[in-house]
Amino acid sequence: MLIDTATRLRERGINPSMQRIAILNYMETHHTHPTVDNIYNALSASMPTLSKTTIYNTLTLFVEEGIINRFLTDDDVMHYDANIKNHTHFKCHKCGKIYDFPLPEIKTPEMEGFKVSDVKLFYYGVCKECSSKDKTEEIRTLLNL
Ligand code: ZN
Ligand code: MN
């Protein structure tokens, strides 16, 4: 509900402007790790005064307030994530989708005595869906379909 989004912003001491509410609501309803451009393309039709700079500044404010997270991918593109729980990502280089996965325990015996406060782990590869599409293609080719 948009009213809940506004309340959450107010609780954080953030003035709930229309644009801020719309951006946070988009983040909370699209768990696709959107970029500034993705959000702009989705919202600009209904909010003609919305600029990419406003979206960027708003997302930066949300990150600073701990409402959302952000991360860079290997192509230097910044993605935003409303899931602020500790987790890791897998980016498929075929379809470009970024998947959430739980963070595995990766402390090695050599790290004994080291206190870990943050882990950055990012997987790249081909997702399950694209892998099975590849298989289907392979079979089609084999059977000359
Ligand atoms: Zn894929
Ligand atoms: Mn995520």
Side-chain angles (χ1 to χ4, degrees), residues 82-119:
N83 179 359
I84 52 168
K85 292 198 188 102
N86 233 346
H87 66 284
T88 184
H89 294 110
F90 182 109
K91 186 185 170 191
C92 174
H93 60 65
K94 288 229 160 177
C95 66
K97 266 189 221 159
I98 299 171
Y99 295 82
D100 281 343
F101 283 107
L103 201 58
E105 180 59 62
I106 50 164
K107 212 170 165 181
T108 68
E110 292 84 352
M111 290 171 76
E112 186 66 54
F114 286 76
K115 278 196 184 114
V116 178
S117 57
D118 190 23
V119 183

Short mmCIF file of all heavy atoms in Angstrom, two decimals, residues 82-119:
data_model
loop_
_atom_site.label_atom_id
_atom_site.label_comp_id
_atom_site.label_asym_id
_atom_site.label_seq_id
_atom_site.Cartn_x
_atom_site.Cartn_y
_atom_site.Cartn_z
N ALA A 82 15.92 -3.98 -2.85
CA ALA A 82 15.11 -3.71 -1.65
C ALA A 82 15.28 -4.82 -0.61
O ALA A 82 14.83 -4.67 0.53
CB ALA A 82 13.64 -3.58 -2.04
N ASN A 83 15.92 -5.92 -0.99
CA ASN A 83 16.20 -6.99 -0.05
C ASN A 83 17.49 -6.64 0.71
O ASN A 83 18.58 -6.73 0.14
CB ASN A 83 16.35 -8.32 -0.81
CG ASN A 83 16.67 -9.48 0.11
OD1 ASN A 83 16.80 -9.32 1.32
ND2 ASN A 83 16.80 -10.66 -0.47
N ILE A 84 17.34 -6.21 1.96
CA ILE A 84 18.53 -5.77 2.71
C ILE A 84 19.09 -6.87 3.61
O ILE A 84 20.03 -6.64 4.35
CB ILE A 84 18.27 -4.47 3.50
CG1 ILE A 84 17.03 -4.60 4.38
CG2 ILE A 84 18.13 -3.27 2.58
CD1 ILE A 84 16.88 -3.48 5.39
N LYS A 85 18.48 -8.06 3.54
CA LYS A 85 19.04 -9.19 4.29
C LYS A 85 20.34 -9.63 3.63
O LYS A 85 20.52 -9.45 2.43
CB LYS A 85 18.04 -10.35 4.32
CG LYS A 85 16.80 -10.03 5.14
CD LYS A 85 16.06 -11.31 5.52
CE LYS A 85 14.73 -11.00 6.16
NZ LYS A 85 13.60 -11.18 5.22
N ASN A 86 21.24 -10.24 4.42
CA ASN A 86 22.49 -10.72 3.89
C ASN A 86 22.24 -11.81 2.84
O ASN A 86 21.66 -12.84 3.15
CB ASN A 86 23.31 -11.31 5.04
CG ASN A 86 24.69 -10.70 5.09
OD1 ASN A 86 25.13 -10.04 4.14
ND2 ASN A 86 25.37 -10.92 6.19
N HIS A 87 22.65 -11.59 1.61
CA HIS A 87 22.50 -12.62 0.58
C HIS A 87 23.48 -12.34 -0.54
O HIS A 87 24.14 -11.31 -0.56
CB HIS A 87 21.05 -12.68 0.06
CG HIS A 87 20.62 -11.45 -0.69
ND1 HIS A 87 20.28 -10.27 -0.07
CD2 HIS A 87 20.45 -11.23 -2.02
CE1 HIS A 87 19.92 -9.38 -0.98
NE2 HIS A 87 20.02 -9.93 -2.16
N THR A 88 23.60 -13.31 -1.43
CA THR A 88 24.53 -13.13 -2.54
C THR A 88 23.77 -13.18 -3.88
O THR A 88 22.58 -13.48 -3.89
CB THR A 88 25.65 -14.18 -2.49
OG1 THR A 88 26.58 -13.91 -3.54
CG2 THR A 88 25.11 -15.58 -2.67
N HIS A 89 24.46 -12.85 -4.95
CA HIS A 89 23.82 -12.74 -6.26
C HIS A 89 24.47 -13.61 -7.32
O HIS A 89 25.65 -13.90 -7.25
CB HIS A 89 23.82 -11.28 -6.72
CG HIS A 89 22.99 -10.39 -5.87
ND1 HIS A 89 23.53 -9.45 -5.03
CD2 HIS A 89 21.66 -10.33 -5.69
CE1 HIS A 89 22.54 -8.85 -4.38
NE2 HIS A 89 21.41 -9.36 -4.76
N PHE A 90 23.65 -13.98 -8.29
CA PHE A 90 24.12 -14.72 -9.47
C PHE A 90 23.62 -13.97 -10.68
O PHE A 90 22.41 -13.78 -10.84
CB PHE A 90 23.55 -16.14 -9.44
CG PHE A 90 24.01 -17.02 -10.58
CD1 PHE A 90 24.89 -18.07 -10.34
CD2 PHE A 90 23.55 -16.82 -11.88
CE1 PHE A 90 25.31 -18.89 -11.39
CE2 PHE A 90 23.98 -17.63 -12.93
CZ PHE A 90 24.85 -18.67 -12.69
N LYS A 91 24.53 -13.51 -11.53
CA LYS A 91 24.08 -12.84 -12.76
C LYS A 91 24.28 -13.75 -13.96
O LYS A 91 25.37 -14.29 -14.18
CB LYS A 91 24.85 -11.53 -12.97
CG LYS A 91 24.31 -10.75 -14.17
CD LYS A 91 25.11 -9.51 -14.49
CE LYS A 91 24.63 -8.97 -15.84
NZ LYS A 91 25.53 -7.93 -16.35
N CYS A 92 23.19 -13.94 -14.71
CA CYS A 92 23.25 -14.79 -15.90
C CYS A 92 23.74 -13.94 -17.07
O CYS A 92 23.19 -12.89 -17.36
CB CYS A 92 21.86 -15.35 -16.20
SG CYS A 92 21.79 -16.26 -17.76
N HIS A 93 24.81 -14.40 -17.74
CA HIS A 93 25.32 -13.59 -18.85
C HIS A 93 24.57 -13.84 -20.15
O HIS A 93 24.87 -13.24 -21.18
CB HIS A 93 26.85 -13.70 -19.01
CG HIS A 93 27.37 -15.06 -19.27
ND1 HIS A 93 27.10 -15.75 -20.40
CD2 HIS A 93 28.16 -15.86 -18.52
CE1 HIS A 93 27.70 -16.91 -20.35
NE2 HIS A 93 28.34 -17.02 -19.22
N LYS A 94 23.56 -14.72 -20.11
CA LYS A 94 22.70 -14.91 -21.30
C LYS A 94 21.48 -13.99 -21.24
O LYS A 94 21.22 -13.23 -22.16
CB LYS A 94 22.24 -16.36 -21.38
CG LYS A 94 23.36 -17.31 -21.78
CD LYS A 94 22.95 -18.23 -22.89
CE LYS A 94 24.20 -18.77 -23.56
NZ LYS A 94 23.90 -19.72 -24.61
N CYS A 95 20.71 -14.07 -20.13
CA CYS A 95 19.47 -13.27 -20.04
C CYS A 95 19.65 -11.99 -19.22
O CYS A 95 18.78 -11.13 -19.23
CB CYS A 95 18.33 -14.12 -19.48
SG CYS A 95 18.58 -14.62 -17.77
N GLY A 96 20.76 -11.88 -18.49
CA GLY A 96 21.04 -10.67 -17.72
C GLY A 96 20.33 -10.60 -16.38
O GLY A 96 20.52 -9.64 -15.62
N LYS A 97 19.51 -11.61 -16.06
CA LYS A 97 18.80 -11.61 -14.78
C LYS A 97 19.76 -11.78 -13.62
O LYS A 97 20.75 -12.50 -13.73
CB LYS A 97 17.78 -12.76 -14.74
CG LYS A 97 16.39 -12.37 -15.17
CD LYS A 97 15.42 -13.52 -14.89
CE LYS A 97 14.45 -13.68 -16.04
NZ LYS A 97 13.84 -14.99 -16.08
N ILE A 98 19.45 -11.11 -12.51
CA ILE A 98 20.26 -11.24 -11.29
C ILE A 98 19.42 -11.95 -10.24
O ILE A 98 18.35 -11.47 -9.87
CB ILE A 98 20.75 -9.88 -10.80
CG1 ILE A 98 21.62 -9.20 -11.87
CG2 ILE A 98 21.53 -10.03 -9.49
CD1 ILE A 98 21.98 -7.77 -11.57
N TYR A 99 19.88 -13.09 -9.80
CA TYR A 99 19.15 -13.92 -8.84
C TYR A 99 19.71 -13.75 -7.43
O TYR A 99 20.91 -13.50 -7.26
CB TYR A 99 19.29 -15.40 -9.22
CG TYR A 99 18.66 -15.77 -10.55
CD1 TYR A 99 19.33 -15.55 -11.75
CD2 TYR A 99 17.41 -16.37 -10.59
CE1 TYR A 99 18.75 -15.89 -12.96
CE2 TYR A 99 16.83 -16.74 -11.79
CZ TYR A 99 17.51 -16.49 -12.98
OH TYR A 99 16.94 -16.84 -14.18
N ASP A 100 18.83 -13.90 -6.44
CA ASP A 100 19.23 -13.89 -5.02
C ASP A 100 19.54 -15.31 -4.56
O ASP A 100 18.80 -16.24 -4.90
CB ASP A 100 18.08 -13.37 -4.15
CG ASP A 100 17.97 -11.87 -4.18
OD1 ASP A 100 18.92 -11.20 -4.59
OD2 ASP A 100 16.90 -11.36 -3.77
N PHE A 101 20.60 -15.46 -3.78
CA PHE A 101 20.90 -16.75 -3.15
C PHE A 101 21.37 -16.51 -1.73
O PHE A 101 21.94 -15.46 -1.43
CB PHE A 101 21.98 -17.50 -3.93
CG PHE A 101 21.46 -18.15 -5.18
CD1 PHE A 101 21.78 -17.63 -6.42
CD2 PHE A 101 20.64 -19.26 -5.11
CE1 PHE A 101 21.28 -18.20 -7.58
CE2 PHE A 101 20.13 -19.84 -6.25
CZ PHE A 101 20.46 -19.31 -7.49
N PRO A 102 21.15 -17.50 -0.84
CA PRO A 102 21.68 -17.33 0.51
C PRO A 102 23.21 -17.35 0.48
O PRO A 102 23.81 -17.96 -0.40
CB PRO A 102 21.13 -18.54 1.27
CG PRO A 102 20.52 -19.44 0.27
CD PRO A 102 20.38 -18.73 -1.02
N LEU A 103 23.79 -16.65 1.40
CA LEU A 103 25.25 -16.56 1.47
C LEU A 103 25.81 -17.83 2.10
O LEU A 103 25.45 -18.18 3.22
CB LEU A 103 25.61 -15.34 2.33
CG LEU A 103 26.98 -14.72 2.20
CD1 LEU A 103 27.27 -14.27 0.79
CD2 LEU A 103 27.10 -13.54 3.15
N PRO A 104 26.68 -18.57 1.38
CA PRO A 104 27.23 -19.79 1.98
C PRO A 104 28.32 -19.45 3.00
O PRO A 104 28.87 -18.35 2.99
CB PRO A 104 27.83 -20.51 0.77
CG PRO A 104 28.17 -19.44 -0.20
CD PRO A 104 27.18 -18.32 0.03
N GLU A 105 28.61 -20.39 3.86
CA GLU A 105 29.70 -20.22 4.83
C GLU A 105 31.02 -20.42 4.09
O GLU A 105 31.29 -21.49 3.57
CB GLU A 105 29.53 -21.28 5.95
CG GLU A 105 30.58 -21.21 7.03
CD GLU A 105 30.64 -19.87 7.74
OE1 GLU A 105 29.64 -19.48 8.36
OE2 GLU A 105 31.70 -19.21 7.65
N ILE A 106 31.81 -19.36 3.97
CA ILE A 106 33.03 -19.51 3.17
C ILE A 106 34.30 -19.14 3.94
O ILE A 106 35.32 -18.87 3.36
CB ILE A 106 32.98 -18.68 1.86
CG1 ILE A 106 32.57 -17.24 2.14
CG2 ILE A 106 32.09 -19.34 0.83
CD1 ILE A 106 32.85 -16.29 1.00
N LYS A 107 34.21 -19.12 5.25
CA LYS A 107 35.40 -18.84 6.05
C LYS A 107 36.32 -20.06 5.97
O LYS A 107 35.88 -21.18 6.21
CB LYS A 107 35.00 -18.57 7.50
CG LYS A 107 35.91 -17.58 8.20
CD LYS A 107 35.35 -17.15 9.54
CE LYS A 107 36.44 -16.47 10.33
NZ LYS A 107 36.01 -16.04 11.65
N THR A 108 37.55 -19.88 5.57
CA THR A 108 38.47 -21.00 5.41
C THR A 108 39.33 -21.15 6.67
O THR A 108 39.44 -20.20 7.46
CB THR A 108 39.40 -20.79 4.19
OG1 THR A 108 40.28 -19.70 4.48
CG2 THR A 108 38.59 -20.49 2.94
N PRO A 109 39.95 -22.33 6.87
CA PRO A 109 40.78 -22.53 8.07
C PRO A 109 41.88 -21.47 8.21
O PRO A 109 42.23 -21.07 9.32
CB PRO A 109 41.40 -23.92 7.84
CG PRO A 109 40.49 -24.60 6.89
CD PRO A 109 39.87 -23.53 6.05
N GLU A 110 42.40 -20.97 7.08
CA GLU A 110 43.46 -19.96 7.10
C GLU A 110 42.98 -18.65 7.73
O GLU A 110 43.78 -17.82 8.15
CB GLU A 110 43.97 -19.66 5.68
CG GLU A 110 44.71 -20.79 5.02
CD GLU A 110 43.77 -21.80 4.34
OE1 GLU A 110 42.52 -21.70 4.51
OE2 GLU A 110 44.29 -22.69 3.65
N MET A 111 41.66 -18.45 7.80
CA MET A 111 41.11 -17.19 8.32
C MET A 111 40.84 -17.26 9.81
O MET A 111 40.27 -16.32 10.37
CB MET A 111 39.82 -16.82 7.56
CG MET A 111 40.08 -16.40 6.13
SD MET A 111 38.52 -16.24 5.21
CE MET A 111 37.94 -14.67 5.86
N GLU A 112 41.22 -18.34 10.42
CA GLU A 112 41.07 -18.50 11.88
C GLU A 112 41.60 -17.25 12.58
O GLU A 112 42.70 -16.80 12.30
CB GLU A 112 41.87 -19.75 12.31
CG GLU A 112 41.71 -20.14 13.77
CD GLU A 112 40.30 -20.59 14.11
OE1 GLU A 112 39.81 -21.51 13.43
OE2 GLU A 112 39.70 -20.03 15.05
N GLY A 113 40.80 -16.68 13.48
CA GLY A 113 41.23 -15.50 14.22
C GLY A 113 40.87 -14.18 13.55
O GLY A 113 41.02 -13.12 14.15
N PHE A 114 40.40 -14.23 12.30
CA PHE A 114 39.97 -13.01 11.60
C PHE A 114 38.47 -12.84 11.79
O PHE A 114 37.71 -13.79 11.61
CB PHE A 114 40.29 -13.11 10.09
CG PHE A 114 41.75 -12.96 9.77
CD1 PHE A 114 42.63 -14.01 10.01
CD2 PHE A 114 42.25 -11.78 9.25
CE1 PHE A 114 43.98 -13.88 9.71
CE2 PHE A 114 43.60 -11.64 8.96
CZ PHE A 114 44.47 -12.69 9.19
N LYS A 115 38.07 -11.62 12.15
CA LYS A 115 36.65 -11.35 12.32
C LYS A 115 36.09 -10.77 11.03
O LYS A 115 36.53 -9.71 10.59
CB LYS A 115 36.43 -10.36 13.47
CG LYS A 115 36.44 -11.03 14.82
CD LYS A 115 35.84 -10.11 15.90
CE LYS A 115 35.94 -10.76 17.26
NZ LYS A 115 36.86 -10.05 18.18
N VAL A 116 35.14 -11.46 10.41
CA VAL A 116 34.53 -11.01 9.14
C VAL A 116 33.36 -10.09 9.44
O VAL A 116 32.46 -10.46 10.19
CB VAL A 116 34.06 -12.22 8.30
CG1 VAL A 116 33.40 -11.75 7.01
CG2 VAL A 116 35.23 -13.14 7.99
N SER A 117 33.38 -8.88 8.89
CA SER A 117 32.25 -7.98 9.09
C SER A 117 31.42 -7.84 7.81
O SER A 117 30.27 -7.42 7.84
CB SER A 117 32.73 -6.60 9.54
OG SER A 117 33.63 -6.07 8.59
N ASP A 118 31.99 -8.21 6.68
CA ASP A 118 31.27 -8.09 5.41
C ASP A 118 31.89 -9.05 4.39
O ASP A 118 33.11 -9.24 4.39
CB ASP A 118 31.36 -6.64 4.90
CG ASP A 118 30.43 -6.38 3.72
OD1 ASP A 118 29.44 -7.12 3.57
OD2 ASP A 118 30.71 -5.45 2.95
N VAL A 119 31.07 -9.66 3.57
CA VAL A 119 31.56 -10.54 2.50
C VAL A 119 30.96 -10.07 1.19
O VAL A 119 29.76 -9.83 1.10
CB VAL A 119 31.14 -12.02 2.73
CG1 VAL A 119 31.72 -12.91 1.65
CG2 VAL A 119 31.55 -12.49 4.10
#
